Short mmCIF file of all heavy atoms in Angstrom, two decimals:
data_model
loop_
_atom_site.label_atom_id
_atom_site.label_comp_id
_atom_site.label_asym_id
_atom_site.label_seq_id
_atom_site.Cartn_x
_atom_site.Cartn_y
_atom_site.Cartn_z
N VAL A 179 225.48 282.72 223.88
CA VAL A 179 226.69 283.26 223.29
C VAL A 179 226.89 284.75 223.57
O VAL A 179 225.82 285.47 223.68
CB VAL A 179 226.69 282.98 221.71
CG1 VAL A 179 225.61 283.74 220.99
CG2 VAL A 179 228.08 283.27 221.07
N GLN A 180 228.02 285.19 223.66
CA GLN A 180 228.23 286.65 223.85
C GLN A 180 228.09 287.45 222.60
O GLN A 180 228.25 286.90 221.43
CB GLN A 180 229.72 286.91 224.44
CG GLN A 180 229.84 286.49 225.80
CD GLN A 180 231.09 286.93 226.32
OE1 GLN A 180 232.17 287.07 225.67
NE2 GLN A 180 231.28 287.00 227.69
N ALA A 181 227.71 288.65 222.67
CA ALA A 181 227.59 289.52 221.54
C ALA A 181 228.94 289.54 220.75
O ALA A 181 229.96 289.55 221.28
CB ALA A 181 227.20 290.96 221.94
N GLY A 182 228.76 289.47 219.49
CA GLY A 182 229.86 289.42 218.58
C GLY A 182 230.31 287.99 218.24
O GLY A 182 231.16 287.79 217.27
N GLY A 183 229.72 287.03 218.91
CA GLY A 183 230.08 285.64 218.68
C GLY A 183 229.21 285.00 217.59
O GLY A 183 228.51 285.70 216.89
N SER A 184 229.43 283.65 217.46
CA SER A 184 228.76 282.90 216.43
C SER A 184 228.05 281.65 216.86
O SER A 184 228.48 281.16 217.92
CB SER A 184 229.83 282.49 215.32
OG SER A 184 230.47 283.54 214.75
N LEU A 185 227.02 281.23 216.16
CA LEU A 185 226.34 279.99 216.40
C LEU A 185 225.96 279.41 215.08
O LEU A 185 225.79 280.15 214.07
CB LEU A 185 225.15 280.15 217.30
CG LEU A 185 225.27 280.19 218.80
CD1 LEU A 185 223.88 280.46 219.46
CD2 LEU A 185 225.94 278.97 219.38
N ARG A 186 225.86 278.10 215.05
CA ARG A 186 225.40 277.41 213.87
C ARG A 186 224.20 276.62 214.19
O ARG A 186 224.35 275.62 215.01
CB ARG A 186 226.55 276.61 213.24
CG ARG A 186 226.15 275.94 211.92
CD ARG A 186 227.33 275.17 211.37
NE ARG A 186 227.04 274.48 210.05
CZ ARG A 186 227.15 275.13 208.80
NH1 ARG A 186 227.56 276.37 208.84
NH2 ARG A 186 226.91 274.43 207.75
N LEU A 187 223.05 276.86 213.60
CA LEU A 187 221.89 276.03 213.82
C LEU A 187 221.69 275.09 212.66
O LEU A 187 222.04 275.35 211.52
CB LEU A 187 220.63 276.96 213.84
CG LEU A 187 220.72 278.15 214.90
CD1 LEU A 187 219.31 278.87 214.83
CD2 LEU A 187 220.94 277.67 216.28
N SER A 188 221.09 273.94 212.99
CA SER A 188 220.83 272.88 211.99
C SER A 188 219.42 272.55 212.02
O SER A 188 218.78 272.57 213.14
CB SER A 188 221.63 271.68 212.17
OG SER A 188 223.01 271.93 211.86
N CYS A 189 218.82 272.31 210.87
CA CYS A 189 217.42 271.82 210.80
C CYS A 189 217.44 270.49 209.99
O CYS A 189 217.81 270.41 208.84
CB CYS A 189 216.60 272.83 210.00
SG CYS A 189 214.91 272.36 209.63
N THR A 190 217.11 269.39 210.73
CA THR A 190 217.13 268.03 210.07
C THR A 190 215.78 267.74 209.74
O THR A 190 214.78 267.74 210.59
CB THR A 190 217.78 267.08 210.98
OG1 THR A 190 219.12 267.50 211.36
CG2 THR A 190 217.86 265.67 210.39
N ALA A 191 215.60 267.22 208.50
CA ALA A 191 214.35 266.75 208.01
C ALA A 191 214.28 265.29 207.87
O ALA A 191 215.23 264.61 207.55
CB ALA A 191 214.04 267.40 206.64
N SER A 192 212.97 264.75 208.13
CA SER A 192 212.78 263.36 208.01
C SER A 192 211.35 263.18 207.37
O SER A 192 210.53 264.16 207.35
CB SER A 192 212.83 262.58 209.22
OG SER A 192 211.93 263.09 210.22
N GLY A 193 211.10 262.06 206.77
CA GLY A 193 209.85 261.87 206.16
C GLY A 193 209.82 261.96 204.66
O GLY A 193 209.15 261.20 203.91
N ARG A 194 210.48 263.01 204.18
CA ARG A 194 210.60 263.26 202.78
C ARG A 194 211.93 263.93 202.49
O ARG A 194 212.49 264.64 203.42
CB ARG A 194 209.52 264.15 202.15
CG ARG A 194 208.11 263.51 202.23
CD ARG A 194 207.06 264.41 201.56
NE ARG A 194 205.84 263.79 201.58
CZ ARG A 194 204.69 264.35 201.13
NH1 ARG A 194 204.79 265.68 200.79
NH2 ARG A 194 203.55 263.75 201.04
N THR A 195 212.40 263.87 201.27
CA THR A 195 213.58 264.65 200.88
C THR A 195 212.97 266.21 200.72
O THR A 195 211.85 266.32 200.53
CB THR A 195 214.22 264.26 199.64
OG1 THR A 195 213.29 264.41 198.56
CG2 THR A 195 214.76 262.86 199.82
N LEU A 196 213.96 267.07 200.75
CA LEU A 196 213.53 268.49 200.71
C LEU A 196 213.55 269.14 199.32
O LEU A 196 213.51 270.34 199.11
CB LEU A 196 214.38 269.26 201.67
CG LEU A 196 214.24 268.93 203.19
CD1 LEU A 196 215.25 269.70 204.04
CD2 LEU A 196 212.80 269.08 203.62
N ASN A 197 213.72 268.25 198.32
CA ASN A 197 213.91 268.75 196.93
C ASN A 197 212.81 269.68 196.53
O ASN A 197 213.02 270.70 195.73
CB ASN A 197 214.05 267.63 196.00
CG ASN A 197 215.32 266.89 196.12
OD1 ASN A 197 216.26 267.30 196.68
ND2 ASN A 197 215.42 265.66 195.48
N ASN A 198 211.63 269.42 197.04
CA ASN A 198 210.55 270.16 196.44
C ASN A 198 209.94 271.18 197.47
O ASN A 198 208.82 271.63 197.44
CB ASN A 198 209.33 269.23 196.20
CG ASN A 198 209.66 268.15 195.19
OD1 ASN A 198 210.23 268.52 194.10
ND2 ASN A 198 209.23 266.96 195.25
N TYR A 199 210.80 271.63 198.24
CA TYR A 199 210.46 272.62 199.37
C TYR A 199 211.27 273.85 199.45
O TYR A 199 212.41 273.85 199.00
CB TYR A 199 210.40 271.96 200.70
CG TYR A 199 209.40 270.88 200.86
CD1 TYR A 199 209.59 269.51 200.54
CD2 TYR A 199 208.08 271.20 201.33
CE1 TYR A 199 208.68 268.51 200.59
CE2 TYR A 199 207.15 270.17 201.45
CZ TYR A 199 207.43 268.89 201.03
OH TYR A 199 206.44 267.97 201.22
N VAL A 200 210.65 274.90 199.93
CA VAL A 200 211.39 276.09 200.39
C VAL A 200 211.51 275.88 201.96
O VAL A 200 210.54 275.65 202.58
CB VAL A 200 210.73 277.38 200.05
CG1 VAL A 200 211.33 278.58 200.64
CG2 VAL A 200 210.58 277.57 198.57
N ILE A 201 212.79 275.97 202.43
CA ILE A 201 212.97 275.92 203.79
C ILE A 201 213.45 277.29 204.37
O ILE A 201 214.31 277.92 203.81
CB ILE A 201 214.14 274.94 204.15
CG1 ILE A 201 213.84 273.63 203.37
CG2 ILE A 201 214.18 274.65 205.64
CD1 ILE A 201 212.56 272.92 203.71
N SER A 202 212.79 277.74 205.42
CA SER A 202 213.07 279.02 205.93
C SER A 202 213.33 278.86 207.54
O SER A 202 212.82 277.98 208.16
CB SER A 202 212.04 279.99 205.70
OG SER A 202 211.99 280.41 204.37
N TRP A 203 214.09 279.85 207.92
CA TRP A 203 214.31 280.03 209.44
C TRP A 203 213.47 281.26 209.82
O TRP A 203 213.48 282.36 209.19
CB TRP A 203 215.70 280.25 209.76
CG TRP A 203 216.55 279.03 209.69
CD1 TRP A 203 217.31 278.60 208.72
CD2 TRP A 203 216.77 278.10 210.67
NE1 TRP A 203 217.97 277.44 208.91
CE2 TRP A 203 217.63 277.02 210.23
CE3 TRP A 203 216.28 277.98 212.07
CZ2 TRP A 203 218.06 275.98 211.03
CZ3 TRP A 203 216.68 276.86 212.86
CH2 TRP A 203 217.60 275.86 212.29
N PHE A 204 212.68 281.12 210.87
CA PHE A 204 211.98 282.19 211.50
C PHE A 204 212.49 282.29 212.95
O PHE A 204 213.08 281.38 213.51
CB PHE A 204 210.47 281.92 211.62
CG PHE A 204 209.86 282.01 210.19
CD1 PHE A 204 209.93 281.01 209.25
CD2 PHE A 204 209.16 283.18 209.88
CE1 PHE A 204 209.30 281.10 208.00
CE2 PHE A 204 208.54 283.28 208.61
CZ PHE A 204 208.59 282.30 207.60
N ARG A 205 212.18 283.40 213.64
CA ARG A 205 212.54 283.57 214.95
C ARG A 205 211.38 284.38 215.73
O ARG A 205 210.68 285.10 215.15
CB ARG A 205 213.84 284.24 215.18
CG ARG A 205 213.93 285.71 214.76
CD ARG A 205 215.34 286.25 214.84
NE ARG A 205 215.38 287.57 214.38
CZ ARG A 205 216.54 288.26 214.27
NH1 ARG A 205 217.66 287.71 214.52
NH2 ARG A 205 216.56 289.62 213.88
N GLN A 206 211.32 284.03 217.07
CA GLN A 206 210.30 284.70 217.85
C GLN A 206 210.84 285.08 219.16
O GLN A 206 211.25 284.26 219.99
CB GLN A 206 209.04 283.74 217.98
CG GLN A 206 207.81 284.47 218.73
CD GLN A 206 206.60 283.67 218.51
OE1 GLN A 206 206.63 282.49 218.21
NE2 GLN A 206 205.44 284.30 218.72
N ALA A 207 210.97 286.39 219.41
CA ALA A 207 211.44 286.93 220.67
C ALA A 207 210.17 287.04 221.61
O ALA A 207 209.05 287.14 221.16
CB ALA A 207 212.13 288.27 220.47
N PRO A 208 210.44 287.15 222.90
CA PRO A 208 209.35 287.25 223.89
C PRO A 208 208.50 288.42 223.60
O PRO A 208 208.93 289.51 223.43
CB PRO A 208 210.07 287.34 225.18
CG PRO A 208 211.40 286.66 224.99
CD PRO A 208 211.74 286.97 223.61
N GLY A 209 207.12 288.17 223.55
CA GLY A 209 206.22 289.27 223.34
C GLY A 209 206.12 289.76 221.83
O GLY A 209 205.40 290.72 221.69
N LYS A 210 206.75 289.08 220.97
CA LYS A 210 206.80 289.50 219.61
C LYS A 210 206.20 288.36 218.69
O LYS A 210 206.22 287.27 219.10
CB LYS A 210 208.14 289.90 219.16
CG LYS A 210 208.67 291.17 219.88
CD LYS A 210 209.98 291.59 219.22
CE LYS A 210 210.49 292.96 219.95
NZ LYS A 210 211.73 293.44 219.34
N GLY A 211 205.86 288.79 217.48
CA GLY A 211 205.39 287.79 216.50
C GLY A 211 206.63 287.02 215.87
O GLY A 211 207.75 287.34 216.10
N ARG A 212 206.29 286.00 215.10
CA ARG A 212 207.34 285.22 214.38
C ARG A 212 207.80 286.03 213.23
O ARG A 212 207.01 286.45 212.32
CB ARG A 212 206.74 283.86 213.99
CG ARG A 212 207.68 282.77 213.81
CD ARG A 212 207.04 281.41 213.93
NE ARG A 212 206.62 281.07 215.31
CZ ARG A 212 206.26 279.80 215.67
NH1 ARG A 212 206.23 278.85 214.71
NH2 ARG A 212 205.91 279.59 216.87
N GLU A 213 209.16 286.15 213.14
CA GLU A 213 209.78 286.99 212.17
C GLU A 213 210.60 286.15 211.20
O GLU A 213 211.42 285.25 211.62
CB GLU A 213 210.70 287.97 212.90
CG GLU A 213 211.59 288.86 212.07
CD GLU A 213 212.74 289.57 212.86
OE1 GLU A 213 213.04 289.16 213.95
OE2 GLU A 213 213.11 290.59 212.28
N PHE A 214 210.53 286.37 209.90
CA PHE A 214 211.32 285.70 208.89
C PHE A 214 212.78 286.09 209.10
O PHE A 214 213.11 287.33 209.25
CB PHE A 214 210.79 286.03 207.46
CG PHE A 214 211.79 285.66 206.45
CD1 PHE A 214 211.82 284.29 206.01
CD2 PHE A 214 212.70 286.52 205.84
CE1 PHE A 214 212.63 283.83 205.07
CE2 PHE A 214 213.48 286.14 204.88
CZ PHE A 214 213.53 284.76 204.35
N VAL A 215 213.66 285.13 208.94
CA VAL A 215 215.12 285.37 209.04
C VAL A 215 215.83 285.02 207.67
O VAL A 215 216.48 286.00 207.13
CB VAL A 215 215.74 284.54 210.14
CG1 VAL A 215 217.23 284.67 210.16
CG2 VAL A 215 215.17 284.83 211.50
N ALA A 216 215.63 283.81 207.17
CA ALA A 216 216.32 283.51 205.92
C ALA A 216 215.67 282.29 205.32
O ALA A 216 215.06 281.50 206.10
CB ALA A 216 217.81 283.18 206.23
N GLY A 217 215.73 282.25 204.01
CA GLY A 217 215.14 281.08 203.39
C GLY A 217 215.99 280.50 202.22
O GLY A 217 216.89 281.15 201.63
N ILE A 218 215.70 279.24 201.83
CA ILE A 218 216.38 278.68 200.71
C ILE A 218 215.49 277.84 199.92
O ILE A 218 214.66 277.09 200.48
CB ILE A 218 217.63 277.80 201.23
CG1 ILE A 218 218.41 277.22 200.02
CG2 ILE A 218 217.13 276.71 202.10
CD1 ILE A 218 219.81 276.70 200.45
N TRP A 219 215.46 278.06 198.55
CA TRP A 219 214.65 277.12 197.69
C TRP A 219 215.58 276.04 197.33
O TRP A 219 216.50 276.21 196.44
CB TRP A 219 214.17 278.02 196.50
CG TRP A 219 213.19 277.27 195.60
CD1 TRP A 219 212.66 276.04 195.83
CD2 TRP A 219 212.63 277.77 194.31
NE1 TRP A 219 211.85 275.72 194.75
CE2 TRP A 219 211.82 276.76 193.90
CE3 TRP A 219 212.83 278.93 193.61
CZ2 TRP A 219 211.02 276.93 192.63
CZ3 TRP A 219 212.14 279.12 192.47
CH2 TRP A 219 211.31 278.07 191.94
#
């Protein structure tokens, strides 16, 4: 996407419902560590 644009990511879970979990998004750029982005309880 071009700078200024938008994207929507989805995370689909299977195996269990997510009622008892915190779900977070992390990201990792080349040569860098894994960085927290956002989370939801």
Side-chain angles (χ1 to χ4, degrees):
V179 64
Q180 288 188 333
S184 299
L185 277 176
R186 185 177 181 87
L187 306 183
S188 290
C189 175
T190 301
S192 59
R194 289 184 180 175
T195 64
L196 296 176
N197 289 346
N198 297 320
Y199 292 90
V200 172
I201 311 301
S202 288
W203 288 93
F204 288 79
R205 65 187 181 187
Q206 188 165 17
K210 295 188 177 180
R212 204 161 286 192
E213 174 192 24
F214 169 80
V215 176
I218 184 166
W219 187 4

